[in-house]
Amino acid sequence: MKQKLNILVIYFFLFINSNFVISATIAAGQSHTLLLDVDGGVWSFGRGNYGELGHGDTQYHLIPKKIENIPLVTTIVVGNSYNLLLDVDGGVWSFGLNDYAQLGHGDQKNHLTPKKIENIPLITTAAAGQSHTLLLDVDGGVWSFGFNDYGQLGHGDAQCLLIPKKIENIPKIKNIKTNRFTRTKNARN
């Protein structure tokens, strides 16, 4: 039975433990939520079975908790039980479910805390599919990795990729999106 995952990206103000925290962006998935505050901090709550909350455990967190040990973040992207964070320097951090290498770290193990994706250029935009990831670099190049049974990675085959690989023979690209499970929002727009 397929479960539909509805992702919403909205703006609003949030009170946390009597401290007024302004949330610039929210990415809400079926079972977990990320908040990006105006200072570049990321908060998460909900189900954490695969480490998708980024707190180093697989527990549920019923109230927002700040993710520690990450740089300032400009963009949050929610996939199917995994997440991508774009930092102020154009780096990408990923964590959560990694059954098809959609985190881009060269393995297929879940990551319970954010880890920076290595060996990629500066990234401006990211998109998270159910089990694959797309990254748009500053020069308009597109990088893909993860699940690829239907050729959705764009490399002319149906092989899963453990690390990001640039898609060849396409023009300079302006924006990327996946058809399901994701909404990308940049708080600095």
Side-chain angles (χ1 to χ4, degrees):
M1 177 167 116
K2 288 186 177 181
Q3 293 183 342
K4 184 178 179 183
L5 177 65
N6 296 315
I7 307 284
L8 304 172
V9 177
I10 57 175
Y11 294 96
F12 80 101
F13 295 93
L14 179 68
F15 287 96
I16 300 176
N17 296 334
S18 301
N19 295 324
F20 189 60
V21 176
I22 301 173
S23 178
T25 304
I26 296 175
Q30 179 180 14
S31 301
H32 77 288
T33 302
L34 294 185
L35 308 174
L36 175 60
D37 69 36
V38 296
D39 295 322
V42 179
W43 302 69
S44 65
F45 54 101
R47 186 185 77 180
N49 291 10
Y50 305 103
E52 61 264 50
L53 299 181
H55 302 298
D57 60 32
T58 56
Q59 303 299 310
Y60 286 52
H61 290 266
L62 303 180
I63 60 172
K65 180 178 178 182
K66 189 170 186 177
I67 298 174
E68 302 296 332
N69 301 313
I70 57 173
L72 296 178
V73 171
T74 61
T75 305
I76 55 176
V77 180
V78 174
N80 181 32
S81 297
Y82 75 102
N83 306 294
L84 305 165
L85 309 175
L86 278 64
D87 69 33
V88 296
D89 296 319
V92 181
W93 300 69
S94 60
F95 55 101
L97 182 65
N98 195 35
D99 53 348
Y100 292 101
Q102 61 266 43
L103 299 183
H105 299 300
D107 61 37
Q108 290 180 276
K109 67 176 188 171
N110 299 339
H111 289 261
L112 306 183
T113 58
K115 180 179 178 182
K116 188 173 183 180
I117 299 174
E118 301 295 333
N119 301 314
I120 55 173
L122 299 177
I123 300 298
T124 62
T125 306
Q130 181 171 354
S131 298
H132 76 289
T133 301
L134 302 174
L135 304 175
L136 179 64
D137 70 34
V138 295
D139 296 319
V142 179
W143 299 71
S144 61
F145 48 97
F147 185 73
N148 192 35
D149 276 8
Y150 309 106
Q152 64 266 44
L153 298 183
H155 300 290
D157 60 32
Q159 299 297 313
C160 292
L161 287 176
L162 299 178
I163 58 173
K165 180 179 178 183
K166 187 175 182 181
I167 300 173
E168 300 297 332
N169 302 314
I170 58 174
K172 184 176 181 176
I173 302 300
K174 181 179 177 181
N175 198 7
I176 55 173
K177 285 193 177 190
T178 57
N179 188 24
R180 190 172 180 205
F181 291 105
T182 189
R183 296 292 183 268
T184 303
K185 193 64 184 173
N186 185 320
R188 307 285 187 231
N189 285 350

